[in-house]
Amino acid sequence: MSRPPTFAPPPCAHARQLRTARGDFAVLDASPRTAPRGTALLLPGYTGSKEDFIALLEPLCAAGYRTVAVDGRGQYETEGTTRQEDYAQGELARDALAQATAPGVGGEGPVHLVGHSLGGQIARAAVLLDASPFRSLTLMSSGPAQVTEAQQLKVKMLGDALATLSMAEVWEAMRALDPPEDAATDGEALRRRWLRHQPAQLLATGRQLVTEPDRVTELAAVPLPLHVLSGERDDTWPVPLLDEMAQRLGAHRTRIAGAEHSPNTDRPEQTAAALVSFWDGL
């Protein structure tokens, strides 16, 4: 679970509802003071939310990029349903396309799409459906196929718990397993976020994480600038696997020193600088 440094948006950003052809989505919308050089759409990972990108907003705005971070359907402040089929990857990919083309987001031109972890798989699926709304795609700590066996086991354990326990009970069980330093990190805000996730969303997207096929060859055929960004360590997709994926894609590759699976929260300044460098280079 990503642990953002705060849940309070910076002065350049405000929380709002993004209206799309596929419903309303809670977003953090951050705009530079001058005319933007481009727009970025950021999709969070499994159990995450738009707040996972909160520390990127000011540096991206300072570089001239308007940034819209999204809660996907059933995540935190975006409403969802109790039907797992509503969270099929194709449905979530169409949500991303609707977000990218919504009034007030895609009107200024193609959007730089960024997906963290599960969000990267959703972003990839969106681009494979229709790449035309996008200027580039950055896969952040998001690998070529299913997660590692250890992570598959964790996802299964969570699914088993969700089948028999309430969200509050599952939260308490997860916190009991956390190291002491994590348990002290903004626990109440994280708990509020967890309790607002839809269990059906967690079950359906968890299943996607453990069964995702390798679609790298398909993505490599899409004429879109690609960027693979990660920390220097990752227990969800090993870094050498991400290196190999970048080579197969012919993608720009960035490793963020001192970061693990969530460079957006581990090293936000360096991560923002890497994104800006990639976008500016286009």
Side-chain angles (χ1 to χ4, degrees):
M1 179 183 295
S2 293
R3 288 173 166 83
T6 178
F7 275 66
C12 65
H14 66 282
R16 71 179 182 93
Q17 291 290 312
L18 176 66
R19 298 190 179 280
T20 81
R22 289 178 63 83
D24 295 350
F25 295 87
V27 302
L28 292 175
D29 193 336
S31 297
R33 294 183 179 180
T34 57
R37 303 173 62 189
T39 298
L41 178 68
L42 278 52
L43 310 183
Y46 188 58
T47 77
S49 70
K50 59 192 181 301
E51 284 74 19
D52 291 343
F53 301 112
I54 210 162
L56 299 181
L57 300 181
E58 279 195 312
L60 292 180
C61 279
Y65 287 93
R66 192 236 180 138
T67 306
V68 180
V70 184
D71 285 342
R73 69 164 71 188
Q75 284 184 319
Y76 192 27
E77 294 179 320
T78 294
E79 293 297 323
T81 73
T82 59
R83 300 176 352 132
Q84 291 187 43
E85 55 266 38
D86 291 338
Y87 304 100
Q89 189 183 80
E91 296 298 316
L92 302 180
R94 290 178 180 87
D95 287 348
L97 290 169
Q99 294 153 10
T101 55
V105 176
E108 313 247 343
V111 170
H112 296 289
L113 182 60
V114 179
H116 174 235
S117 195
L118 171 72
Q121 295 190 340
I122 295 167
R124 178 173 73 176
V127 165
L128 290 174
L129 281 176
D130 182 4
S132 64
F134 304 112
R135 179 67 184 92
S136 71
L137 169 63
T138 295
L139 301 173
M140 182 186 294
S141 303
S142 186
Q146 74 273 13
V147 296
T148 62
E149 289 186 11
Q151 292 297 320
Q152 290 179 39
L153 179 59
K154 289 183 179 180
V155 171
K156 182 182 185 303
M157 290 172 61
L158 177 58
D160 291 344
L162 289 170
T164 58
L165 302 175
S166 70
M167 290 291 282
E169 290 169 329
V170 173
W171 174 258
E172 293 304 321
M174 292 193 302
R175 294 304 274 189
L177 298 174
D178 280 344
E181 61 271 21
D182 287 349
T185 306
D186 207 3
E188 185 52 37
L190 291 170
R191 180 178 183 275
R192 286 196 302 269
R193 176 174 71 174
W194 170 260
L195 293 177
R196 294 190 66 174
H197 274 69
Q198 277 284 349
Q201 187 267 351
L202 294 168
L203 290 166
T205 56
R207 191 160 51 249
Q208 292 167 33
L209 285 170
V210 303
T211 60
E212 178 75 0
D214 187 318
R215 305 185 72 186
V216 173
T217 300
E218 291 177 72
L219 183 60
V222 177
L224 190 71
L226 303 174
H227 183 195
V228 175
L229 185 153
S230 74
E232 61 183 355
R233 296 178 299 279
D234 197 309
D235 62 0
T236 305
W237 288 279
V239 169
L241 184 66
L242 298 174
D243 293 340
E244 179 190 25
M245 181 179 76
Q247 291 180 342
R248 292 172 62 196
L249 290 171
H252 184 72
R253 177 72 173 108
T254 303
R255 287 193 192 187
I256 304 297
E260 298 189 17
H261 184 61
S262 298
N264 42 311
T265 58
D266 294 343
R267 295 290 187 270
E269 291 287 342
Q270 297 90 328
T271 300
L275 290 169
V276 169
S277 177
F278 172 60
W279 296 337
D280 284 354
L282 304 180

